[in-house]
Amino acid sequence: MTGTLHIVGAGLAGLAAAVAAAKAGTRVAVHEAAGHAGGRCRSFRDEKLDRIIDNGSHLVLGANRTTLAYAQATGGIEAMVAAEPCFPFVDLTTGARWMVTPKRLPAGIGEILSALGLPWIRRSETVASRLGRSRSFTRLWQPMCEAIMNTAPADASARMFAWTMRRALLGGTKALIPWTFPLGLSAALVAPALATLGSFGAEVHFRRRLLSVTAEALTFDTAIVPLTPDDKVILALPPWVLSAVLPTGSPEMQTRPIVNAHFRLDYPVALPGKSHFLGLVNAAGHWLFARGDVLSVTVSAADALADRPNDEIAALLWDEASRAIGLAPAPVPLARIMKERRATLAHDQTTIANRPGPRTANPNLFLAGDWIESPWPCTIEAAISSGLAAARLVTNRADLVFEQ
Ligand SMILES: Cc1cc2nc3c(=O)[nH]c(=O)nc-3n(C[C@H](O)[C@H](O)[C@H](O)COP(=O)(O)OP(=O)(O)OC[C@H]3O[C@@H](n4cnc5c(N)ncnc54)[C@H](O)[C@@H]3O)c2cc1C
């Protein structure tokens, strides 16, 4: 293209679109409302804990190939760590501990086939209606569903769940390799992308909130950017923002919260088996993550928890976490509670059927974001893939990939 590609929103979808397009030789300008990039996937210095923490602990799997290609292309992969494909769990009611590995799934073949979508899944089926009575529901399918889809099994689409299970379980051992972010999300997924954009001469404008968009201009709170017929625009914004800036609006989408508790201890956190994470079953908390002296607890589909006061949440999750890793009872340490009230879409049948595609009625205006129609639930992989897909449309290059 000969004009400028304007990308609004510097979350992972916007950054991925910008990196792919800039590397393909397109003139790129990114406009972001916040004073930083990364959106729902970012790190920041927390003054109370005096540590760099993430808004929420994130994990990607080897099956998330587009994410890994993006991280390779920007150099961010150097700040990511691949672990053995072993997922340790503890049941806080019984004290039982077990490990899920590609060769040791705690489920019979019938359940596994059912989770993979065999035989055929009806559109209306939920993860609970399909797998709720299976032997391994509590030990395997429920934690996987909540972690991947941020939606309770009673609401989560069984079709979408099956698609993610096929990618993870049928993709070979590599697909189940967990990748973590020991230096934080921004060091791996955000700062290297900004550096890459800088090296291609792309402009990145922070503190520019888009108010409206027409074929002639992008109107921000602090600037008006005129558009020529050669310019193109990708709006990489979440649905609740898009409905306010687009003249046509956008469908209202149900969302789900994620709550994270970060505890700063006086010593390095050690999880059993030196793992970076530990799954909890029969507990309010879902996953523990260890990074240096910070122990973090993630609660997905946290509708009930998100409305409780922070000190109650901290006390509940600290009690569970310390029991899970065998610490002596102790008062709640320094804690930061992060409530992302609109962490992802609710992945129920109705909401996912309402997702728009990347094209709009204006041929120069495209959409990107984790919530744009795709087989993936709202994840890093969905966000980065949608950014790449929008860049392909804008550059008219269906073969565009993240080049090293
Ligand atoms: C706590 C938490 C834990 C998660 N865990 C995982 C995980 O383990 N694995 C995984 O794969 N995924 C996980 N996710 C999901 C993942 O973080 C998201 O899918 C992804 O970050 C979404 O990226 P995005 O670019 O689509 O949207 P966003 O990150 O929302 O980006 C949108 C950007 O637009 C900007 N913006 C908003 N309004 C305007 C405006 N008017 N003008 C200009 N800019 C604007 C925002 O500031 C933001 O930077 C998690 C999410 C959360 C919140």
Side-chain angles (χ1 to χ4, degrees), residues 10 138 211 224-225 296 333 354 356-357 381 403:
T138 320
L211 302 178
I224 295 181
V225 176
S296 303
N354 268 340
E381 180 72 2
E403 308 275 0

Side-chain angles (χ1 to χ4, degrees), residues 8-14 31-34 36 38-41 55-60 64 208-210 220 236-238 241 245 258 260 340 343-344 369-371 378-381 383:
V8 186
L12 295 186
H31 313 269
E32 162 61 46
H36 52 79
R40 280 172 279 152
C41 181
N55 62 317
S57 306
H58 283 56
L59 184 91
V60 296
N64 298 152
R208 263 194 187 177
R209 181 172 300 279
L210 184 69
F220 296 94
L237 299 170
V241 176
V245 300
I258 297 180
N260 268 260
E340 289 274 6
T344 70
D370 62 349
W371 64 286
C378 296
T379 48
I380 292 174
E381 180 72 2

Side-chain angles (χ1 to χ4, degrees), residues 267-303:
Y267 44 86
V269 182
L271 295 182
K274 296 198 180 133
S275 178
H276 293 280
F277 51 84
L278 172 65
L280 308 183
V281 163
N282 284 321
H286 292 162
W287 292 91
L288 305 187
F289 287 84
R291 189 197 295 166
D293 57 5
V294 177
L295 174 64
S296 303
V297 187
T298 297
V299 189
S300 301
D303 308 62

